[in-house]
Amino acid sequence: MMLYRYPPNNTKKVRIMSTAQTRLISKDKGRLQIPYQEYVSLLEKANELQTLRHLKTEVVLGLQRALKTQIEFKVPPRGGAKTAPKQVAPEPQEKSPKQPEPKAEEPKKAAPPKAPPKPEPKAEPKKAAAEGIEIPPIKKDIAAHFNKVDESGRLFNVFKQYYACLNDTCGGTVRVTMKDGFCSLWNYDEWEEFAFVDMFEGQLRVSIDPRYKDALGSFEFCDVPRLLSSRRKLICVKVDDLNNTMLEVLVKAFEEVGMTAS
């Protein structure tokens, strides 16, 4: 029920969203139907439930071991065979040769206690998608720029969700800088830009390499800003919410920095 996370500098391709997260995406537009914070809260509750289940299993195993130990060392009833340790029998007295000498019954040895079964290794509960992930902070001037253009703060919130998911999924550090009103997303390990984000017609406009045009075919394409088109060849699409397909394309672009469209 989570996003898989990999250590830094891991270039292996990864799953972007788990089965549980995919179920939160509608089939028509592929949009997340609940706010991201509520999604993280649900995963944390699932984590707590998993921990309680493992604690319950350990308690049951402990009780079973205790009961087995009590049964194995139980004192026998009166008249039954004793389980006391073997004692040295006294020397028999001289008796008439006609009477056979009674044999001393050897006490039965107590069966050694069985070793208690080894408990199964405890499976560590999976962490929530954003739990324990150190996300580089977004600078105040970037937040101020978003809030100046969009006073509702909705677009900045969507941008922060993409930024957090990328840092959690890419296997490396993602950084963001801003110049001339355009946010640049960087592969921090390679220190190279892989996408650009700004606001256009009430939505986020994502500029990316043309090699991903087919993967973004379900999005609305728009014009590339002149300041960006003068620097490199790009295509632009508009998004207004956290989208699984867009997130997959951004992760792929992060992993393929330096490659150009054929």
Side-chain angles (χ1 to χ4, degrees):
M1 297 179 62
M2 65 166 287
L3 292 171
Y4 288 94
R5 174 171 171 256
Y6 292 85
N9 298 324
N10 185 357
T11 58
K12 182 180 178 182
K13 293 185 179 179
V14 296
R15 284 186 63 187
I16 306 308
M17 307 292 278
S18 68
T19 303
Q21 185 175 4
T22 303
R23 291 176 182 171
L24 297 177
I25 304 298
S26 64
K27 294 181 179 179
D28 53 343
K29 295 184 179 179
R31 298 178 180 173
L32 193 62
Q33 298 300 306
I34 62 173
Y36 181 73
Q37 295 300 328
E38 292 183 17
Y39 162 69
V40 173
S41 176
L42 287 174
L43 290 182
E44 291 176 348
K45 291 180 180 179
N47 177 26
E48 294 175 0
L49 177 60
Q50 184 73 2
T51 302
L52 290 175
R53 286 179 177 171
H54 286 297
L55 289 176
K56 178 182 176 182
T57 302
E58 290 184 351
V59 171
V60 172
L61 290 175
L63 290 175
Q64 290 176 348
R65 290 196 295 268
L67 289 173
K68 287 184 179 180
T69 303
Q70 291 179 4
I71 292 173
E72 291 165 357
F73 290 97
K74 185 177 180 181
V75 178
R78 294 182 180 179
K82 296 182 180 181
T83 58
K86 184 177 180 180
Q87 298 180 354
V88 179
E91 295 182 0
Q93 297 179 358
E94 293 183 1
K95 294 184 180 181
S96 173
K98 293 182 180 180
Q99 297 178 355
E101 209 172 283
K103 294 182 179 180
E105 294 183 359
E106 294 182 0
K108 295 182 179 180
K109 296 181 180 180
K114 296 180 180 180
K118 295 182 179 180
E120 296 180 359
K122 181 179 178 183
E124 296 184 359
K126 295 179 179 180
K127 295 184 178 180
E131 182 182 352
I133 303 298
E134 293 185 2
I135 301 175
I138 298 176
K139 293 183 178 181
K140 293 182 179 180
D141 59 332
I142 298 177
H145 175 75
F146 271 89
N147 293 328
K148 182 179 179 181
V149 178
D150 176 33
E151 296 180 356
S152 67
R154 184 182 65 86
L155 293 180
F156 183 56
N157 185 51
V158 174
F159 177 73
K160 288 193 298 182
Q161 291 179 21
Y162 275 106
Y163 184 65
C165 288
L166 286 171
N167 272 284
D168 184 35
T169 309
C170 284
T173 302
V174 177
R175 289 287 180 89
V176 56
T177 60
M178 188 178 73
K179 183 179 180 182
D180 298 326
F182 298 98
C183 292
S184 299
L185 294 176
W186 297 76
N187 181 327
Y188 186 69
D189 302 321
E190 301 295 335
W191 196 241
E192 185 170 345
E193 299 163 303
F194 64 91
F196 305 89
V197 180
D198 68 319
M199 289 170 283
F200 179 70
E201 295 182 352
Q203 299 184 56
L204 292 179
R205 177 168 54 181
V206 181
S207 303
I208 202 164
D209 194 277
R211 67 186 299 111
Y212 307 110
K213 184 175 182 179
D214 292 340
L216 296 172
S218 60
F219 291 88
E220 180 182 354
F221 288 87
C222 54
D223 295 335
V224 180
R226 291 183 179 179
L227 287 175
L228 295 180
S229 62
S230 62
R231 293 166 50 187
R232 56 197 298 177
K233 189 175 181 180
L234 298 167
I235 58 173
C236 289
V237 295
K238 293 190 292 185
V239 295
D240 60 357
D241 209 341
L242 184 62
N243 183 280
N244 192 36
T245 301
M246 174 56 71
L247 189 59
E248 291 179 355
V249 171
L250 289 174
V251 171
K252 191 173 182 180
F254 174 91
E255 296 173 346
E256 298 178 346
V257 290
M259 299 179 65
T260 57
S262 56

